[in-house]
Amino acid sequence: MSNDQSSQPDTLNSAERATIDSSVAAPVILFFGTAIFWLLFGSVFELISAIKLVWPCFLDGCALLTYGRTSVVSVNALAFGWATPAAIGIGLWLTARLCRVELARYKSLLAAGIIWNIGTFVGVAGIFVGDNTSISHLNFPGYATHILLLAFILIAVWAIVTFNHRKSGPLYVSQWFLVAGFFSFPWLYATASQLLVWNPIQASAQPAIAAWFAGGFFNLWLAPMGLAAAFYLIPKAVGRQINSNHLSLVAFWSLLLFGAWSGTSRLIGGPLPAWMVSVGVAASVMMIIPALAVALNLHFTLDGHYAAMSWSPALRFTITGVSMLVFTWVFTAINSLPAVSSVTNFSDITRALNLLGYYGFFSMTAFGAIYYIVPRLTGKEWPSSCLISWHFWLATTGVLLAVSVLILGGLIQGFALHDIGVTFRSSMDFIFPFRFVAALAALLIVCANLAFALVFAGLHWSLRRPGTAPALIAVREENSQEPVAV
Amino acid sequence: MNKLTLLFTGIFLTFGSAWVGLVAYPVANLGQMQPLPNEETGGVNPPTVSGLAIAGQKVYAANGCMECHTQQVRPDPFSTDIAKQLGKRQTVPRDEIREHTPFLGEYRIGQDLSNYGARQTDAAAIHRHLYSPTSVTPWSNMPSYSYLYEYRKIVSQPSAHAIQGLTGSRAPKPGYEVVPTQQAEALVAYLLSLNQNYPLPESPEPTAK
């Protein structure tokens, strides 16, 4: 397959681009707008849960707000209210652009967006009233899962039709990732819902499937969608071609193969056949390959053009996001080695790695993509470059602070849980200050998301007249060769 | 050659391989496990549990206990669980067959509960802890499950089910009592049933060093 892709994202002229963009505008804005609501909602509940861990009296003794519900609500609202719709929105826009077709019937997509949000709402409400299924990332009760799958089928049908109508030409690397993501998600979600939630099979067979789903949800759904955006935006924003098609191929196929098998590494020593865990550990370690391939490829593409990061919010967020993906995969590889996981398993390091992957990588990349896409859909510019800057620094500081303290604290906690001579109470005393800082970091993340929501709302309520210059977060250098791509 | 077909086939094969290994294989090979006969008692291993304990699984799930508690004892060298006396042997798939969903958990914010019923047999003590964890363990960050209990005025005679010996800020005032709801009773029955101290051939107890 090495010669059937172009290294150029697309060769549309600006008029064609504008027609295609405006044809997808309504559904994409719908997905982004609702996603941002759930982002705020989920991160507020993440903050509440983080506070509860250090100060258990906070909102205690109330069924709706008990820790076991707030933390599950935050994870699922972020995964299915924010991340998945954001990925869908990015995917719709990229599909239309890369297949070079105008969107014909967008009403079905609007319907899908509305149904999806009803499903998320029902699922979150279900957790609050006590219908949590208690399967990680599949906590929504069965009656909500049906609604979500129905919405996704509408989207998948649209994606298949669009791919079939695409203008002929080589498939660009982002398109591979899009196909992989749009294909994997329904398969993962339908299989896991059927076997674990709707008609659960015997519990003895469930752990492997649950782990397969949790691993696949990140590595085969969110990672491909985020990378599709990165492989499109980064070359476009600096006006260059993707450095190496061979590296893209390596990244793509190694991600698919190892990502699909990686989920079980977390269950080391758990109640499932040992070979499944061994395969999972091996696959998690092999994730170093896509990590390196993505990092090198994008680095060589950007080489000499990193300066554009200083004024383009889209580029700054996307590059930060992809770097965190590389770290997520590298840390997960280290953390799944048996010698390491015997100490770190069940410690707060798991929280750190989840945060790094879901927020550090996916959310940051999605922010970058949204900053890039929305002005092109609406013809309006972002209202405030100052707020965008705040968004970036609050989000980056928040996530890096939380991840570093939880890794450090998690290591100490892990050694305490591991050491036969140390009591359980000591493990709690050791981790306490780290959880305290992590709660502060969760507050920073809420503020970052709030800044983002304000920027997004400001654009739609036209706080800035159309036709003004793009919102750059720094002054462009006088003699810069970089094309403007905010 | 149609490039999209090639791409699609490749994705199908990579994704499908993991699906066969991690989904179809467990469904076919682990999905119909039976309890084993126990010659000593004439019963089975794992022993059957009461309907109330099974109802308790739903309460455990609804309140998100597995956000903080694991239920899996891992063998050496992957952990020190057995040396730390969380259980006598490794947890294996057959241990899960009484559960609707295996509550393996991802965090040990609280202790592992796989064998909680083996170290705690006093239902009243569990009620006191669930009602107000900090009154039993001052350094705990476990939430209070007081909403699973009814705080009420004693009319004529105190209830026989009322929890005795409550201390701390949530303790009932004179003339009041705290009575477990059906949900609390089910949850405690479930916690008492957590006990993997029965032999299974696939999970021998490691011989002491």
Side-chain angles (χ1 to χ4, degrees):
Chain A
M1 261 190 60
S2 61
N3 54 0
D4 57 5
Q5 75 282 141
S6 83
S7 43
Q8 199 77 47
D10 65 48
T11 46
L12 299 164
N13 65 37
S14 54
E16 288 169 322
R17 223 177 261 148
T19 351
I20 292 176
D21 281 355
S22 61
S23 78
V24 283
V28 171
I29 297 283
L30 173 72
F31 275 105
F32 286 166
T34 53
I36 292 169
F37 164 78
W38 289 111
L39 171 70
L40 261 181
F41 181 89
S43 58
V44 166
F45 276 90
E46 194 169 285
L47 174 63
I48 294 177
S49 317
I51 298 176
K52 278 167 171 287
L53 278 188
V54 283
W55 187 33
C57 329
F58 182 65
L59 304 176
D60 197 26
C62 161
L64 290 185
L65 294 176
T66 184
Y67 178 84
R69 294 187 190 173
T70 56
S71 74
V72 174
V73 159
S74 83
V75 168
N76 287 272
L78 289 173
F80 292 99
W82 151 247
T84 300
I88 294 172
I90 295 169
L92 295 180
W93 177 80
L94 270 179
T95 307
R97 261 216 177 174
L98 289 168
C99 295
R100 282 161 285 171
V101 285
E102 269 175 61
L103 177 57
R105 276 179 297 281
Y106 67 82
K107 291 242 169 57
S108 71
L109 287 181
L110 284 181
I114 293 167
I115 299 175
W116 182 276
N117 279 286
I118 295 175
T120 310
F121 178 82
V122 171
V124 166
I127 294 174
F128 273 127
V129 301
D131 283 340
N132 175 5
T133 64
S134 76
I135 304 158
S136 177
H137 287 92
L138 277 175
N139 303 75
F140 284 167
Y143 45 80
T145 325
H146 283 108
I147 308 178
L148 292 179
L149 259 179
L150 172 72
F152 202 87
I153 288 170
L154 290 177
I155 294 162
V157 168
W158 175 87
I160 293 168
V161 170
T162 312
F163 263 96
N164 272 331
H165 285 267
R166 74 183 196 284
K167 302 262 164 58
S168 60
L171 287 172
Y172 179 63
V173 35
S174 292
Q175 277 167 304
W176 318 339
F177 282 114
L178 288 175
V179 175
F182 276 131
F183 173 81
S184 307
F185 180 72
W187 194 349
L188 280 163
Y189 202 52
T191 307
S193 300
Q194 168 63 18
L195 294 175
L196 305 178
V197 181
W198 299 337
N199 297 302
I201 51 165
Q202 205 183 33
S204 45
Q206 290 185 25
I209 302 170
W212 167 80
F213 176 81
F217 184 76
F218 184 78
N219 281 332
L220 299 180
W221 165 235
L222 295 184
M225 298 310 268
L227 285 175
F231 273 92
Y232 184 82
L233 298 189
I234 292 178
K236 267 222 124 62
V238 296
R240 300 188 63 176
Q241 301 188 347
I242 279 291
N243 178 265
S244 155
N245 285 321
H246 293 289
L247 276 178
S248 306
L249 276 173
V250 171
F252 179 75
W253 290 113
S254 59
L255 168 60
L256 273 195
L257 181 63
F258 302 129
W261 284 94
S262 63
T264 44
S265 62
R266 266 194 200 172
L267 283 176
I268 191 153
L272 73 172
W275 68 264
M276 288 188 183
V277 176
S278 312
V279 176
V281 171
S284 296
V285 173
M286 296 302 267
M287 290 298 283
I288 299 273
I289 295 176
L292 285 181
V294 166
L296 290 177
N297 208 359
L298 292 181
H299 168 70
F300 288 128
T301 305
L302 276 164
D303 206 14
H305 296 258
Y306 276 106
M309 270 178 89
S310 66
W311 62 78
S312 158
L315 205 56
R316 190 189 282 187
F317 275 97
T318 311
I319 294 173
T320 313
V322 175
S323 329
M324 298 216 205
L325 174 65
V326 172
F327 282 111
T328 308
W329 281 340
V330 171
F331 286 159
T332 310
I334 298 171
N335 191 42
S336 58
L337 296 171
V340 180
S341 64
S342 66
V343 174
T344 60
N345 212 355
F346 305 142
S347 75
D348 280 21
I349 287 186
T350 315
R351 272 173 78 199
L353 293 183
N354 281 342
L355 199 63
L356 189 62
Y358 282 91
Y359 197 84
F361 156 63
F362 185 78
S363 299
M364 293 299 265
T365 310
F367 293 147
I370 293 175
Y371 278 128
Y372 186 89
I373 296 171
V374 173
R376 287 169 170 73
L377 296 183
T378 57
K380 297 182 197 161
E381 284 304 334
W382 295 110
S384 158
S385 50
C386 176
L387 259 182
I388 299 181
S389 204
W390 272 101
H391 174 206
F392 179 79
W393 288 112
L394 283 170
T396 312
T397 324
V399 73
L400 290 182
L401 182 65
V403 168
S404 37
V405 291
L406 287 176
I407 288 185
L408 256 176
L411 266 179
I412 301 176
Q413 180 201 19
F415 275 112
L417 287 174
H418 184 78
D419 194 318
I420 305 167
V422 179
T423 60
F424 182 79
R425 179 185 176 171
S426 307
S427 81
M428 289 192 58
D429 293 343
F430 294 154
I431 188 78
F432 182 85
F434 298 94
R435 284 193 183 139
F436 183 83
V437 180
L440 288 179
L443 180 64
L444 294 183
I445 291 180
V446 170
C447 294
N449 296 342
L450 197 63
F452 181 55
L454 285 178
V455 179
F456 191 83
L459 178 135
H460 287 280
W461 290 322
S462 289
L463 294 183
R464 209 169 130 136
R465 268 163 284 111
T468 40
L472 303 175
I473 43 187
V475 183
R476 288 179 67 216
E477 287 157 40
E478 264 309 299
N479 54 357
S480 158
Q481 297 297 302
E482 314 294 343
V484 182
V486 180
Chain B
M1 189 173 61
N2 186 337
K3 309 289 159 43
L4 192 59
T5 322
L6 189 68
L7 177 68
F8 199 76
T9 318
I11 297 174
F12 185 84
L13 289 178
T14 40
F15 192 93
S17 72
W19 189 85
V20 170
L22 299 178
V23 178
Y25 179 89
V27 169
N29 293 290
L30 304 171
Q32 278 97 32
M33 289 200 136
Q34 297 299 324
L36 301 177
N38 181 341
E39 267 111 48
E40 278 167 41
T41 62
V44 287
N45 291 331
T48 37
V49 294
S50 68
L52 194 59
I54 291 184
Q57 293 175 12
K58 169 92 175 103
V59 186
Y60 191 91
N63 294 291
C65 308
M66 69 284 149
E67 292 299 300
C68 293
H69 291 285
T70 56
Q71 282 191 33
Q72 45 175 324
V73 178
R74 299 158 303 159
D76 292 345
F78 304 120
S79 77
T80 49
D81 288 356
I82 293 170
K84 283 207 145 190
Q85 299 186 334
L86 297 176
K88 294 205 169 94
R89 59 173 181 82
Q90 155 186 23
T91 307
V92 291
R94 203 184 303 274
D95 289 313
E96 307 290 336
I97 63 179
R98 302 174 297 186
E99 308 273 337
H100 186 71
T101 299
F103 298 125
L104 300 185
E106 289 175 78
Y107 298 104
R108 280 192 184 157
I109 295 173
Q111 297 97 326
D112 185 270
L113 297 180
S114 322
N115 289 290
Y116 185 62
R119 51 181 188 267
Q120 175 64 274
T121 47
D122 178 5
I126 305 182
H127 278 303
R128 281 195 291 273
H129 183 245
L130 289 175
Y131 180 75
S132 173
T134 40
S135 72
V136 178
T137 323
W139 46 269
S140 180
N141 68 0
M142 174 156 147
S144 157
Y145 291 95
S146 53
Y147 59 84
L148 296 177
Y149 295 81
E150 205 184 327
Y151 186 94
R152 65 184 187 199
K153 209 180 172 98
I154 301 176
V155 276
S156 66
Q157 258 199 339
S159 159
H161 299 287
I163 320 171
Q164 306 302 321
L166 282 171
T167 54
S169 59
R170 287 181 194 273
K173 287 190 282 250
Y176 286 81
E177 63 183 358
V178 169
V179 183
T181 59
Q182 189 66 30
Q183 287 196 38
E185 296 284 12
L187 182 59
V188 169
Y190 173 65
L191 291 173
L192 286 170
S193 80
L194 293 174
N195 187 342
Q196 298 173 353
N197 284 345
Y198 45 83
L200 286 182
E202 65 264 42
S203 175
E205 279 181 32
T207 39
K209 279 179 220 145

